[in-house]
Amino acid sequence: MFLVGRACGVTIERRSNYTANIIASAGSIFGRLFPFSSDNPVYISPLQEEKMNTLRCRLQIPFDGSRIEHQDALRQLWHLAYPTREVPPLKSELWREMGWQGTDPVTDFRSGGFISLENLIFFARNYPNPFQMLLNKVQGQRADWEYPFAVAGINISFMLVQMLDLQSTVPSSKSGIRFLELLGRDENAFDHLYCVAFRLLDAQWLVRRASYMEFNEVLKSTRTQLERELVLEDVLAVKDLPSYAMLDK
């Protein structure tokens, strides 16, 4: 059969090799039931599907250094990070101070896309104290060879996309299914989860006394911890995650 949906404002048809069960209540818009397992199907409400499609649209936008709005977003990030300093040219050695690998941040966005820059801006706007703490590495005893802040942020965005099965038609992991519930209640759930993940990564970095070569191991352990927390029964929003409390420190 065909399932009809919308992605990025365009109506699409998807051929399915299974029968979708349609559930409706009087006066409501139809929701959809997708098979996760024979005993535990996944129900996606119209609101969840709408918000998931919106998030997937964001994921499809690559970073384009030739677009004025993308250039402006980079300048905005600099202003949020260093409010008393003049924004440098888009190619400058000063960008290395934020944790970009070279003089041109554009080259670091290959895997992250524009959403990874949006995540950094959201972090700086909504959690300025932990953002500044992580940016300036002011907490704990640090390694001589530290992880680069901005590039780490791009890696976290990419890790969350994989962990939550956001590229799939319907998530197949328990954490991905739980995230659907959180997203249904808060359209910014992905961005808030990103902030939690960044703060958690830095905390684990300090506990391990890690250095740059161990970054992937710390990122992996961060993912494992988030997966454990996401499936806790009393987690109804990102703010219910145990690790969220670290954003207040």
Side-chain angles (χ1 to χ4, degrees):
M1 65 171 294
F2 290 92
L3 299 179
V4 180
R6 295 185 66 82
C8 303
V10 179
T11 301
I12 60 172
E13 286 189 324
R14 301 192 296 270
R15 180 177 293 276
S16 172
N17 58 7
Y18 56 80
T19 301
N21 298 298
I22 304 299
I23 298 179
S25 59
S28 68
I29 300 174
F30 288 151
R32 291 198 279 174
L33 192 66
F34 291 92
F36 173 57
S37 71
S38 58
D39 299 322
N40 188 24
V42 179
Y43 173 69
I44 299 180
S45 72
L47 182 60
Q48 289 172 339
E49 186 168 16
E50 177 184 353
K51 292 182 177 180
M52 181 63 81
N53 285 340
T54 299
L55 178 56
R56 287 191 178 122
C57 287
R58 292 175 62 193
L59 295 175
Q60 293 175 18
I61 301 174
F63 185 88
D64 186 347
S66 66
R67 294 179 61 175
I68 298 299
E69 59 268 35
H70 289 197
Q71 296 175 12
D72 287 344
L74 265 177
R75 296 186 182 98
Q76 183 180 26
L77 177 62
W78 179 275
H79 179 70
L80 290 166
Y82 309 109
T84 62
R85 297 173 60 182
E86 183 179 353
V87 179
L90 293 179
K91 291 185 180 181
S92 168
E93 284 289 338
L94 292 175
W95 288 101
R96 293 183 186 270
E97 295 182 26
M98 192 185 291
W100 302 102
Q101 291 183 339
T103 60
D104 183 3
V106 173
T107 60
D108 289 326
F109 281 101
R110 293 186 183 93
S111 62
F114 186 62
I115 194 171
S116 57
L117 178 55
E118 291 181 317
N119 291 153
L120 283 167
I121 291 172
F122 184 92
F123 192 11
R125 278 180 172 172
N126 292 273
Y127 303 96
N129 290 336
F131 177 88
Q132 289 291 335
M133 184 181 68
L134 270 59
L135 170 67
N136 296 298
K137 308 288 177 60
V138 299
Q139 186 182 53
Q141 184 175 352
R142 297 280 173 174
D144 292 333
W145 198 9
E146 275 288 301
Y147 68 84
F149 175 80
V151 174
I154 293 178
N155 278 273
I156 291 170
S157 297
F158 186 69
M159 177 272 287
L160 289 176
V161 171
Q162 292 183 311
M163 183 185 83
L164 301 173
D165 293 330
L166 295 183
Q167 302 289 13
S168 303
T169 301
V170 66
S172 59
S173 66
K174 292 181 179 179
S175 56
I177 293 169
R178 174 55 63 86
F179 175 74
L180 266 178
E181 300 173 10
L182 306 186
L183 187 64
R185 299 185 183 99
D186 178 11
E187 63 184 359
N188 294 317
F190 183 81
D191 302 271
H192 286 294
L193 185 60
Y194 169 88
C195 300
V196 174
F198 213 144
R199 182 66 181 88
L200 178 59
L201 177 137
D202 190 75
Q204 295 203 11
W205 181 271
L206 292 174
V207 169
R208 288 170 172 254
R209 297 183 178 181
S211 63
Y212 182 80
M213 296 302 293
E214 299 169 278
F215 179 81
N216 286 336
E217 294 178 24
V218 177
L219 185 64
K220 183 178 179 180
S221 65
T222 300
R223 170 175 174 165
T224 299
Q225 181 62 29
L226 286 175
E227 288 174 330
R228 290 171 180 165
E229 294 188 13
L230 277 169
V231 298
L232 295 174
E233 291 184 1
D234 57 349
V235 171
L236 302 178
V238 174
K239 293 182 179 181
D240 295 329
L241 294 170
S243 293
Y244 182 85
M246 291 191 298
L247 287 173
D248 294 329
K249 296 179 180 180

